[in-house]
Amino acid sequence: MTAAVEATVEQTPGTGPAAPYHVPHHSHRDVSGGWLRPAVFGAMDGLVSNLALMTGVAGGDVSSRTVVVTGLAGLAAGAFSMAAGEYTSVASQRELVEAELDVERIELRRHPEEELRELAELYVSRGVEPALAHEVARQLSADPERALEIHAREELGVDPTDLPSPLIAAASSFVAFALGALLPVLPYLLGGQALWPAVLLALAGLFGCGAAVARVTARSWWYSGLRQLALGGAAGGITFALGTVIGTAVG
């Protein structure tokens, strides 16, 4: 039920003065994830994929130079791939929503009474009395733009004033993946020659990302951190073993 419906219900004649509305004392988690979820999961994707790639190559008993070149190539390829995929996905979604909004806009202009009745029936299905639902729908439909916004939210589940930006989505995916993928390469760029510092730094990053995910879940930070640490570590260990086997076979 929208705020307008709630306000009207509270002021219905014969029900007495409406009780003042109190804001709940507790706040809910951001179940949509906001910016945190895509950023953390983008970084986690970069961490796991590049760690696995580098350990797989290192398992083939190659030089540290080959490992670092592989890591940088994986960083660049993965970041550009993520950005391109995210841009295409969000742009396609936005174009679909805009096309549906155009259809709804035409329907509101050509068949205003049918759209008003449709909105009233929606409120009735949610428990509002028919007469009150029709009056609320009539008042909300007086402004065409507001009517479009309400129909979009109720029927399409989107806010036409807050559609996602493909450019922002692509840029954030690129940066998040690149930062995650950079961690296992960083020790080599600082002069390291062995694999273990890269693995330790990547595992620490995985634990940190998992702990950050706990902000949008009901799990504790240490559980989420350890879970991601185990999954990322398993991916790195398996690819290292495969790299060793393949390196021995083709050596």
Side-chain angles (χ1 to χ4, degrees):
M1 188 183 301
T2 63
V5 176
E6 292 172 349
T8 308
V9 171
E10 288 180 355
Q11 297 171 6
T12 304
T15 60
Y21 176 75
H22 297 286
V23 178
H25 294 293
H26 67 279
S27 58
H28 293 284
R29 291 182 177 88
D30 180 8
V31 294
S32 66
W35 62 268
L36 178 66
R37 185 170 60 179
V40 170
F41 278 96
M44 200 178 296
D45 190 12
L47 254 172
V48 173
S49 61
N50 220 28
L51 173 64
L53 178 64
M54 292 174 62
T55 54
V57 171
D61 195 21
V62 298
S63 66
S64 60
R65 182 176 182 276
T66 301
V67 176
V68 72
V69 169
T70 300
L72 290 174
L75 184 157
F80 280 112
S81 176
M82 285 284 292
E86 194 70 14
Y87 182 90
T88 302
S89 174
V90 174
S92 299
Q93 179 188 16
R94 185 182 179 112
E95 289 165 1
L96 175 61
V97 171
E98 289 174 343
E100 291 299 316
L101 289 175
D102 288 338
V103 171
E104 191 64 37
R105 190 176 286 108
I106 293 172
E107 289 296 315
L108 284 169
R109 186 172 64 250
R110 292 180 178 176
H111 311 289
E113 291 301 322
E114 292 182 10
E115 293 297 312
L116 188 152
R117 184 167 59 253
E118 183 179 307
L119 187 60
E121 290 174 353
L122 176 64
Y123 291 142
V124 170
S125 70
R126 296 183 177 180
V128 182
E129 295 180 358
L132 177 59
H134 186 274
E135 177 60 21
V136 171
R138 186 190 65 79
Q139 293 185 27
L140 294 177
S141 300
D143 181 355
E145 287 304 314
R146 183 173 62 178
L148 175 63
E149 181 179 337
I150 292 171
H151 278 272
R153 287 177 174 173
E154 298 290 356
E155 298 176 24
L156 304 177
V158 298
D159 183 353
T161 64
D162 189 28
L163 297 181
S165 167
L167 287 176
I168 292 177
S172 60
S173 294
F174 182 94
V175 172
F177 186 96
L179 288 176
L182 180 63
L183 276 185
V185 188
L186 196 57
Y188 286 96
L189 297 179
L190 296 177
Q193 299 295 317
L195 179 64
W196 66 265
V199 172
L200 289 179
L201 184 59
L203 292 179
L206 286 169
F207 181 85
C209 286
V213 170
R215 289 191 58 183
V216 292
T217 67
R219 295 289 187 181
S220 60
W221 63 270
W222 59 265
Y223 176 87
S224 296
L226 289 176
R227 179 176 59 182
Q228 193 55 42
L229 176 64
L231 292 173
I238 292 171
T239 53
F240 181 83
L242 289 174
T244 302
V245 171
I246 296 172
T248 302
V250 301

mmCIF file of all heavy atoms in Angstrom, residues 193-241:
data_model
loop_
_atom_site.group_PDB
_atom_site.id
_atom_site.type_symbol
_atom_site.label_atom_id
_atom_site.label_comp_id
_atom_site.label_asym_id
_atom_site.label_seq_id
_atom_site.Cartn_x
_atom_site.Cartn_y
_atom_site.Cartn_z
ATOM 1 N N GLN A 193 59.433 -12.786 -5.297
ATOM 2 C CA GLN A 193 59.723 -13.811 -6.305
ATOM 3 C C GLN A 193 58.983 -15.115 -6.031
ATOM 4 O O GLN A 193 58.895 -15.970 -6.905
ATOM 5 C CB GLN A 193 61.238 -14.098 -6.334
ATOM 6 C CG GLN A 193 62.092 -12.890 -6.700
ATOM 7 C CD GLN A 193 61.834 -12.404 -8.124
ATOM 8 O OE1 GLN A 193 61.726 -13.209 -9.052
ATOM 9 N NE2 GLN A 193 61.730 -11.092 -8.291
ATOM 10 N N ALA A 194 58.425 -15.261 -4.819
ATOM 11 C CA ALA A 194 57.751 -16.505 -4.434
ATOM 12 C C ALA A 194 56.237 -16.338 -4.511
ATOM 13 O O ALA A 194 55.701 -15.227 -4.472
ATOM 14 C CB ALA A 194 58.161 -16.907 -3.022
ATOM 15 N N LEU A 195 55.561 -17.470 -4.576
ATOM 16 C CA LEU A 195 54.098 -17.459 -4.697
ATOM 17 C C LEU A 195 53.409 -17.244 -3.356
ATOM 18 O O LEU A 195 52.333 -16.634 -3.302
ATOM 19 C CB LEU A 195 53.620 -18.780 -5.321
ATOM 20 C CG LEU A 195 52.112 -18.954 -5.507
ATOM 21 C CD1 LEU A 195 51.559 -17.933 -6.488
ATOM 22 C CD2 LEU A 195 51.790 -20.380 -5.959
ATOM 23 N N TRP A 196 54.021 -17.725 -2.266
ATOM 24 C CA TRP A 196 53.301 -17.738 -0.992
ATOM 25 C C TRP A 196 52.883 -16.358 -0.475
ATOM 26 O O TRP A 196 51.802 -16.239 0.116
ATOM 27 C CB TRP A 196 54.092 -18.517 0.064
ATOM 28 C CG TRP A 196 55.397 -17.900 0.481
ATOM 29 C CD1 TRP A 196 56.621 -18.173 -0.018
ATOM 30 C CD2 TRP A 196 55.592 -16.913 1.495
ATOM 31 N NE1 TRP A 196 57.588 -17.430 0.607
ATOM 32 C CE2 TRP A 196 56.968 -16.640 1.552
ATOM 33 C CE3 TRP A 196 54.734 -16.242 2.367
ATOM 34 C CZ2 TRP A 196 57.508 -15.701 2.424
ATOM 35 C CZ3 TRP A 196 55.267 -15.310 3.258
ATOM 36 C CH2 TRP A 196 56.644 -15.051 3.271
ATOM 37 N N PRO A 197 53.693 -15.256 -0.654
ATOM 38 C CA PRO A 197 53.175 -13.956 -0.194
ATOM 39 C C PRO A 197 51.923 -13.535 -0.955
ATOM 40 O O PRO A 197 51.003 -12.936 -0.376
ATOM 41 C CB PRO A 197 54.339 -12.998 -0.468
ATOM 42 C CG PRO A 197 55.546 -13.868 -0.539
ATOM 43 C CD PRO A 197 55.072 -15.128 -1.162
ATOM 44 N N ALA A 198 51.873 -13.841 -2.264
ATOM 45 C CA ALA A 198 50.692 -13.504 -3.056
ATOM 46 C C ALA A 198 49.482 -14.278 -2.563
ATOM 47 O O ALA A 198 48.371 -13.734 -2.473
ATOM 48 C CB ALA A 198 50.959 -13.806 -4.530
ATOM 49 N N VAL A 199 49.692 -15.549 -2.235
ATOM 50 C CA VAL A 199 48.588 -16.381 -1.754
ATOM 51 C C VAL A 199 48.088 -15.878 -0.406
ATOM 52 O O VAL A 199 46.874 -15.761 -0.174
ATOM 53 C CB VAL A 199 49.026 -17.853 -1.649
ATOM 54 C CG1 VAL A 199 47.951 -18.686 -0.965
ATOM 55 C CG2 VAL A 199 49.332 -18.412 -3.033
ATOM 56 N N LEU A 200 49.004 -15.546 0.499
ATOM 57 C CA LEU A 200 48.604 -15.068 1.827
ATOM 58 C C LEU A 200 47.833 -13.753 1.731
ATOM 59 O O LEU A 200 46.809 -13.569 2.405
ATOM 60 C CB LEU A 200 49.835 -14.885 2.713
ATOM 61 C CG LEU A 200 50.533 -16.169 3.192
ATOM 62 C CD1 LEU A 200 51.754 -15.816 4.047
ATOM 63 C CD2 LEU A 200 49.558 -17.044 3.969
ATOM 64 N N LEU A 201 48.319 -12.835 0.887
ATOM 65 C CA LEU A 201 47.626 -11.554 0.741
ATOM 66 C C LEU A 201 46.244 -11.750 0.117
ATOM 67 O O LEU A 201 45.271 -11.113 0.539
ATOM 68 C CB LEU A 201 48.471 -10.612 -0.125
ATOM 69 C CG LEU A 201 47.916 -9.185 -0.293
ATOM 70 C CD1 LEU A 201 47.758 -8.510 1.066
ATOM 71 C CD2 LEU A 201 48.833 -8.353 -1.197
ATOM 72 N N ALA A 202 46.164 -12.635 -0.861
ATOM 73 C CA ALA A 202 44.864 -12.900 -1.502
ATOM 74 C C ALA A 202 43.887 -13.538 -0.527
ATOM 75 O O ALA A 202 42.703 -13.185 -0.486
ATOM 76 C CB ALA A 202 45.059 -13.801 -2.716
ATOM 77 N N LEU A 203 44.373 -14.462 0.296
ATOM 78 C CA LEU A 203 43.500 -15.108 1.278
ATOM 79 C C LEU A 203 43.013 -14.110 2.327
ATOM 80 O O LEU A 203 41.856 -14.160 2.758
ATOM 81 C CB LEU A 203 44.235 -16.268 1.947
ATOM 82 C CG LEU A 203 44.553 -17.466 1.045
ATOM 83 C CD1 LEU A 203 45.310 -18.533 1.835
ATOM 84 C CD2 LEU A 203 43.295 -18.053 0.437
ATOM 85 N N ALA A 204 43.890 -13.190 2.722
ATOM 86 C CA ALA A 204 43.470 -12.148 3.664
ATOM 87 C C ALA A 204 42.395 -11.265 3.030
ATOM 88 O O ALA A 204 41.420 -10.869 3.688
ATOM 89 C CB ALA A 204 44.676 -11.302 4.076
ATOM 90 N N GLY A 205 42.577 -10.958 1.737
ATOM 91 C CA GLY A 205 41.577 -10.175 1.031
ATOM 92 C C GLY A 205 40.244 -10.901 0.926
ATOM 93 O O GLY A 205 39.176 -10.294 1.065
ATOM 94 N N LEU A 206 40.298 -12.211 0.696
ATOM 95 C CA LEU A 206 39.075 -13.002 0.618
ATOM 96 C C LEU A 206 38.329 -12.992 1.958
ATOM 97 O O LEU A 206 37.106 -12.868 2.000
ATOM 98 C CB LEU A 206 39.404 -14.446 0.220
ATOM 99 C CG LEU A 206 39.783 -14.661 -1.245
ATOM 100 C CD1 LEU A 206 40.347 -16.061 -1.441
ATOM 101 C CD2 LEU A 206 38.579 -14.445 -2.134
ATOM 102 N N PHE A 207 39.089 -13.121 3.043
ATOM 103 C CA PHE A 207 38.453 -13.078 4.360
ATOM 104 C C PHE A 207 37.809 -11.707 4.580
ATOM 105 O O PHE A 207 36.690 -11.606 5.094
ATOM 106 C CB PHE A 207 39.473 -13.357 5.461
ATOM 107 C CG PHE A 207 38.886 -13.361 6.838
ATOM 108 C CD1 PHE A 207 38.307 -14.516 7.341
ATOM 109 C CD2 PHE A 207 38.899 -12.221 7.628
ATOM 110 C CE1 PHE A 207 37.741 -14.531 8.621
ATOM 111 C CE2 PHE A 207 38.342 -12.224 8.889
ATOM 112 C CZ PHE A 207 37.760 -13.378 9.394
ATOM 113 N N GLY A 208 38.511 -10.642 4.194
ATOM 114 C CA GLY A 208 37.965 -9.293 4.358
ATOM 115 C C GLY A 208 36.702 -9.083 3.535
ATOM 116 O O GLY A 208 35.725 -8.486 4.014
ATOM 117 N N CYS A 209 36.703 -9.563 2.296
ATOM 118 C CA CYS A 209 35.513 -9.429 1.448
ATOM 119 C C CYS A 209 34.348 -10.222 2.027
ATOM 120 O O CYS A 209 33.205 -9.755 2.050
ATOM 121 C CB CYS A 209 35.815 -9.918 0.032
ATOM 122 S SG CYS A 209 36.837 -8.797 -0.955
ATOM 123 N N GLY A 210 34.639 -11.434 2.496
ATOM 124 C CA GLY A 210 33.578 -12.235 3.098
ATOM 125 C C GLY A 210 33.007 -11.566 4.340
ATOM 126 O O GLY A 210 31.790 -11.573 4.557
ATOM 127 N N ALA A 211 33.879 -10.967 5.148
ATOM 128 C CA ALA A 211 33.406 -10.264 6.340
ATOM 129 C C ALA A 211 32.560 -9.055 5.966
ATOM 130 O O ALA A 211 31.562 -8.746 6.632
ATOM 131 C CB ALA A 211 34.601 -9.827 7.193
ATOM 132 N N ALA A 212 32.936 -8.366 4.878
ATOM 133 C CA ALA A 212 32.158 -7.210 4.434
ATOM 134 C C ALA A 212 30.780 -7.616 3.942
ATOM 135 O O ALA A 212 29.804 -6.887 4.107
ATOM 136 C CB ALA A 212 32.911 -6.464 3.329
ATOM 137 N N VAL A 213 30.678 -8.794 3.337
ATOM 138 C CA VAL A 213 29.388 -9.290 2.852
ATOM 139 C C VAL A 213 28.410 -9.463 4.012
ATOM 140 O O VAL A 213 27.191 -9.358 3.840
ATOM 141 C CB VAL A 213 29.571 -10.626 2.093
ATOM 142 C CG1 VAL A 213 28.235 -11.287 1.789
ATOM 143 C CG2 VAL A 213 30.323 -10.391 0.799
ATOM 144 N N ALA A 214 28.935 -9.712 5.220
ATOM 145 C CA ALA A 214 28.074 -9.903 6.385
ATOM 146 C C ALA A 214 27.219 -8.673 6.668
ATOM 147 O O ALA A 214 26.202 -8.772 7.356
ATOM 148 C CB ALA A 214 28.921 -10.242 7.614
ATOM 149 N N ARG A 215 27.596 -7.525 6.117
ATOM 150 C CA ARG A 215 26.800 -6.317 6.333
ATOM 151 C C ARG A 215 25.456 -6.385 5.625
ATOM 152 O O ARG A 215 24.524 -5.663 5.987
ATOM 153 C CB ARG A 215 27.565 -5.088 5.835
ATOM 154 C CG ARG A 215 28.760 -4.717 6.682
ATOM 155 C CD ARG A 215 29.308 -3.365 6.290
ATOM 156 N NE ARG A 215 28.302 -2.311 6.395
ATOM 157 C CZ ARG A 215 28.506 -1.050 6.055
ATOM 158 N NH1 ARG A 215 29.677 -0.686 5.576
ATOM 159 N NH2 ARG A 215 27.546 -0.156 6.175
ATOM 160 N N VAL A 216 25.337 -7.233 4.588
ATOM 161 C CA VAL A 216 24.065 -7.351 3.877
ATOM 162 C C VAL A 216 23.459 -8.742 4.055
ATOM 163 O O VAL A 216 22.567 -9.139 3.322
ATOM 164 C CB VAL A 216 24.235 -7.038 2.372
ATOM 165 C CG1 VAL A 216 24.551 -5.577 2.168
ATOM 166 C CG2 VAL A 216 25.317 -7.910 1.739
ATOM 167 N N THR A 217 23.943 -9.492 5.031
ATOM 168 C CA THR A 217 23.382 -10.806 5.319
ATOM 169 C C THR A 217 23.142 -10.919 6.817
ATOM 170 O O THR A 217 23.493 -10.038 7.596
ATOM 171 C CB THR A 217 24.333 -11.944 4.877
ATOM 172 O OG1 THR A 217 25.512 -11.915 5.696
ATOM 173 C CG2 THR A 217 24.735 -11.787 3.417
ATOM 174 N N ALA A 218 22.563 -12.033 7.216
ATOM 175 C CA ALA A 218 22.298 -12.255 8.635
ATOM 176 C C ALA A 218 23.418 -13.040 9.306
ATOM 177 O O ALA A 218 23.332 -13.357 10.484
ATOM 178 C CB ALA A 218 20.972 -13.003 8.797
ATOM 179 N N ARG A 219 24.473 -13.369 8.556
ATOM 180 C CA ARG A 219 25.579 -14.144 9.099
ATOM 181 C C ARG A 219 26.547 -13.251 9.864
ATOM 182 O O ARG A 219 26.640 -12.055 9.635
ATOM 183 C CB ARG A 219 26.321 -14.850 7.968
ATOM 184 C CG ARG A 219 25.493 -15.902 7.240
ATOM 185 C CD ARG A 219 25.256 -17.111 8.108
ATOM 186 N NE ARG A 219 24.600 -18.193 7.377
ATOM 187 C CZ ARG A 219 24.263 -19.355 7.913
ATOM 188 N NH1 ARG A 219 24.513 -19.586 9.185
ATOM 189 N NH2 ARG A 219 23.675 -20.290 7.179
ATOM 190 N N SER A 220 27.308 -13.875 10.753
ATOM 191 C CA SER A 220 28.341 -13.132 11.463
ATOM 192 C C SER A 220 29.523 -12.887 10.534
ATOM 193 O O SER A 220 29.732 -13.629 9.572
ATOM 194 C CB SER A 220 28.796 -13.921 12.701
ATOM 195 O OG SER A 220 29.313 -15.184 12.317
ATOM 196 N N TRP A 221 30.314 -11.871 10.847
ATOM 197 C CA TRP A 221 31.410 -11.486 9.963
ATOM 198 C C TRP A 221 32.467 -12.577 9.873
ATOM 199 O O TRP A 221 33.035 -12.819 8.808
ATOM 200 C CB TRP A 221 32.030 -10.173 10.444
ATOM 201 C CG TRP A 221 32.663 -10.250 11.806
ATOM 202 C CD1 TRP A 221 32.073 -10.009 12.998
ATOM 203 C CD2 TRP A 221 34.026 -10.610 12.089
ATOM 204 N NE1 TRP A 221 32.965 -10.190 14.025
ATOM 205 C CE2 TRP A 221 34.177 -10.555 13.497
ATOM 206 C CE3 TRP A 221 35.125 -10.965 11.308
ATOM 207 C CZ2 TRP A 221 35.383 -10.843 14.128
ATOM 208 C CZ3 TRP A 221 36.329 -11.256 11.932
ATOM 209 C CH2 TRP A 221 36.457 -11.190 13.325
ATOM 210 N N TRP A 222 32.720 -13.248 10.980
ATOM 211 C CA TRP A 222 33.771 -14.278 10.947
ATOM 212 C C TRP A 222 33.326 -15.497 10.151
ATOM 213 O O TRP A 222 34.137 -16.139 9.480
ATOM 214 C CB TRP A 222 34.176 -14.670 12.364
ATOM 215 C CG TRP A 222 33.069 -15.213 13.215
ATOM 216 C CD1 TRP A 222 32.279 -14.531 14.098
ATOM 217 C CD2 TRP A 222 32.619 -16.577 13.251
ATOM 218 N NE1 TRP A 222 31.370 -15.362 14.679
ATOM 219 C CE2 TRP A 222 31.563 -16.638 14.183
ATOM 220 C CE3 TRP A 222 33.021 -17.749 12.613
ATOM 221 C CZ2 TRP A 222 30.878 -17.812 14.473
ATOM 222 C CZ3 TRP A 222 32.349 -18.931 12.900
ATOM 223 C CH2 TRP A 222 31.301 -18.953 13.810
ATOM 224 N N TYR A 223 32.011 -15.826 10.218
ATOM 225 C CA TYR A 223 31.516 -16.960 9.438
ATOM 226 C C TYR A 223 31.622 -16.666 7.938
ATOM 227 O O TYR A 223 32.115 -17.495 7.164
ATOM 228 C CB TYR A 223 30.065 -17.255 9.814
ATOM 229 C CG TYR A 223 29.443 -18.363 8.977
ATOM 230 C CD1 TYR A 223 29.567 -19.692 9.338
ATOM 231 C CD2 TYR A 223 28.737 -18.051 7.812
ATOM 232 C CE1 TYR A 223 29.005 -20.707 8.568
ATOM 233 C CE2 TYR A 223 28.176 -19.056 7.031
ATOM 234 C CZ TYR A 223 28.315 -20.372 7.412
ATOM 235 O OH TYR A 223 27.772 -21.363 6.638
ATOM 236 N N SER A 224 31.152 -15.478 7.536
ATOM 237 C CA SER A 224 31.215 -15.113 6.114
ATOM 238 C C SER A 224 32.652 -15.024 5.633
ATOM 239 O O SER A 224 32.981 -15.438 4.513
ATOM 240 C CB SER A 224 30.507 -13.768 5.886
ATOM 241 O OG SER A 224 29.135 -13.869 6.190
ATOM 242 N N GLY A 225 33.532 -14.493 6.506
ATOM 243 C CA GLY A 225 34.938 -14.390 6.131
ATOM 244 C C GLY A 225 35.591 -15.747 5.953
ATOM 245 O O GLY A 225 36.298 -15.992 4.965
ATOM 246 N N LEU A 226 35.361 -16.639 6.911
ATOM 247 C CA LEU A 226 35.955 -17.981 6.823
ATOM 248 C C LEU A 226 35.389 -18.778 5.650
ATOM 249 O O LEU A 226 36.114 -19.539 4.994
ATOM 250 C CB LEU A 226 35.724 -18.739 8.132
ATOM 251 C CG LEU A 226 36.527 -18.250 9.344
ATOM 252 C CD1 LEU A 226 36.127 -19.028 10.588
ATOM 253 C CD2 LEU A 226 38.025 -18.380 9.085
ATOM 254 N N ARG A 227 34.114 -18.603 5.370
ATOM 255 C CA ARG A 227 33.503 -19.320 4.244
ATOM 256 C C ARG A 227 34.145 -18.902 2.928
ATOM 257 O O ARG A 227 34.494 -19.741 2.104
ATOM 258 C CB ARG A 227 31.998 -19.060 4.206
ATOM 259 C CG ARG A 227 31.287 -19.756 3.049
ATOM 260 C CD ARG A 227 29.793 -19.545 3.110
ATOM 261 N NE ARG A 227 29.435 -18.141 3.063
ATOM 262 C CZ ARG A 227 28.176 -17.690 3.142
ATOM 263 N NH1 ARG A 227 27.177 -18.552 3.314
ATOM 264 N NH2 ARG A 227 27.918 -16.401 3.086
ATOM 265 N N GLN A 228 34.300 -17.584 2.742
ATOM 266 C CA GLN A 228 34.911 -17.115 1.497
ATOM 267 C C GLN A 228 36.383 -17.499 1.433
ATOM 268 O O GLN A 228 36.910 -17.804 0.357
ATOM 269 C CB GLN A 228 34.756 -15.598 1.370
ATOM 270 C CG GLN A 228 35.067 -15.060 -0.010
ATOM 271 C CD GLN A 228 34.238 -15.751 -1.078
ATOM 272 O OE1 GLN A 228 33.050 -15.986 -0.907
ATOM 273 N NE2 GLN A 228 34.883 -16.082 -2.184
ATOM 274 N N LEU A 229 37.050 -17.482 2.584
ATOM 275 C CA LEU A 229 38.449 -17.900 2.650
ATOM 276 C C LEU A 229 38.588 -19.359 2.213
ATOM 277 O O LEU A 229 39.488 -19.711 1.431
ATOM 278 C CB LEU A 229 38.973 -17.721 4.070
ATOM 279 C CG LEU A 229 40.403 -18.191 4.358
ATOM 280 C CD1 LEU A 229 41.407 -17.375 3.552
ATOM 281 C CD2 LEU A 229 40.710 -18.070 5.849
ATOM 282 N N ALA A 230 37.677 -20.206 2.688
ATOM 283 C CA ALA A 230 37.728 -21.635 2.338
ATOM 284 C C ALA A 230 37.454 -21.847 0.854
ATOM 285 O O ALA A 230 38.152 -22.621 0.182
ATOM 286 C CB ALA A 230 36.718 -22.404 3.178
ATOM 287 N N LEU A 231 36.441 -21.150 0.322
ATOM 288 C CA LEU A 231 36.095 -21.323 -1.093
ATOM 289 C C LEU A 231 37.205 -20.819 -2.003
ATOM 290 O O LEU A 231 37.589 -21.493 -2.976
ATOM 291 C CB LEU A 231 34.788 -20.585 -1.397
ATOM 292 C CG LEU A 231 33.527 -21.155 -0.741
ATOM 293 C CD1 LEU A 231 32.330 -20.236 -0.986
ATOM 294 C CD2 LEU A 231 33.239 -22.549 -1.264
ATOM 295 N N GLY A 232 37.730 -19.632 -1.708
ATOM 296 C CA GLY A 232 38.818 -19.088 -2.530
ATOM 297 C C GLY A 232 40.078 -19.910 -2.408
ATOM 298 O O GLY A 232 40.783 -20.139 -3.404
ATOM 299 N N GLY A 233 40.377 -20.349 -1.179
ATOM 300 C CA GLY A 233 41.557 -21.191 -0.995
ATOM 301 C C GLY A 233 41.440 -22.509 -1.731
ATOM 302 O O GLY A 233 42.421 -23.000 -2.319
ATOM 303 N N ALA A 234 40.237 -23.096 -1.736
ATOM 304 C CA ALA A 234 40.021 -24.342 -2.468
ATOM 305 C C ALA A 234 40.219 -24.136 -3.963
ATOM 306 O O ALA A 234 40.832 -24.975 -4.644
ATOM 307 C CB ALA A 234 38.625 -24.878 -2.188
ATOM 308 N N ALA A 235 39.712 -23.016 -4.486
ATOM 309 C CA ALA A 235 39.880 -22.729 -5.916
ATOM 310 C C ALA A 235 41.358 -22.598 -6.276
ATOM 311 O O ALA A 235 41.823 -23.152 -7.290
ATOM 312 C CB ALA A 235 39.128 -21.458 -6.288
ATOM 313 N N GLY A 236 42.106 -21.873 -5.431
ATOM 314 C CA GLY A 236 43.537 -21.723 -5.690
ATOM 315 C C GLY A 236 44.286 -23.042 -5.574
ATOM 316 O O GLY A 236 45.169 -23.339 -6.389
ATOM 317 N N GLY A 237 43.938 -23.839 -4.565
ATOM 318 C CA GLY A 237 44.625 -25.118 -4.385
ATOM 319 C C GLY A 237 44.358 -26.091 -5.521
ATOM 320 O O GLY A 237 45.276 -26.783 -5.993
ATOM 321 N N ILE A 238 43.113 -26.147 -5.982
ATOM 322 C CA ILE A 238 42.770 -27.067 -7.071
ATOM 323 C C ILE A 238 43.471 -26.675 -8.368
ATOM 324 O O ILE A 238 44.022 -27.528 -9.078
ATOM 325 C CB ILE A 238 41.240 -27.112 -7.265
ATOM 326 C CG1 ILE A 238 40.580 -27.783 -6.050
ATOM 327 C CG2 ILE A 238 40.874 -27.857 -8.543
ATOM 328 C CD1 ILE A 238 39.071 -27.681 -6.052
ATOM 329 N N THR A 239 43.465 -25.382 -8.676
ATOM 330 C CA THR A 239 44.128 -24.955 -9.920
ATOM 331 C C THR A 239 45.643 -25.129 -9.833
ATOM 332 O O THR A 239 46.293 -25.420 -10.838
ATOM 333 C CB THR A 239 43.790 -23.492 -10.244
ATOM 334 O OG1 THR A 239 44.087 -22.669 -9.106
ATOM 335 C CG2 THR A 239 42.333 -23.327 -10.609
ATOM 336 N N PHE A 240 46.215 -24.957 -8.632
ATOM 337 C CA PHE A 240 47.649 -25.200 -8.477
ATOM 338 C C PHE A 240 47.961 -26.673 -8.764
ATOM 339 O O PHE A 240 48.942 -27.000 -9.453
ATOM 340 C CB PHE A 240 48.112 -24.829 -7.066
ATOM 341 C CG PHE A 240 49.584 -25.028 -6.837
ATOM 342 C CD1 PHE A 240 50.492 -24.061 -7.228
ATOM 343 C CD2 PHE A 240 50.059 -26.192 -6.236
ATOM 344 C CE1 PHE A 240 51.851 -24.236 -7.023
ATOM 345 C CE2 PHE A 240 51.421 -26.381 -6.030
ATOM 346 C CZ PHE A 240 52.317 -25.397 -6.424
ATOM 347 N N ALA A 241 47.123 -27.569 -8.222
ATOM 348 C CA ALA A 241 47.322 -29.003 -8.465
ATOM 349 C C ALA A 241 47.174 -29.338 -9.949
ATOM 350 O O ALA A 241 47.974 -30.099 -10.511
ATOM 351 C CB ALA A 241 46.334 -29.809 -7.637
#
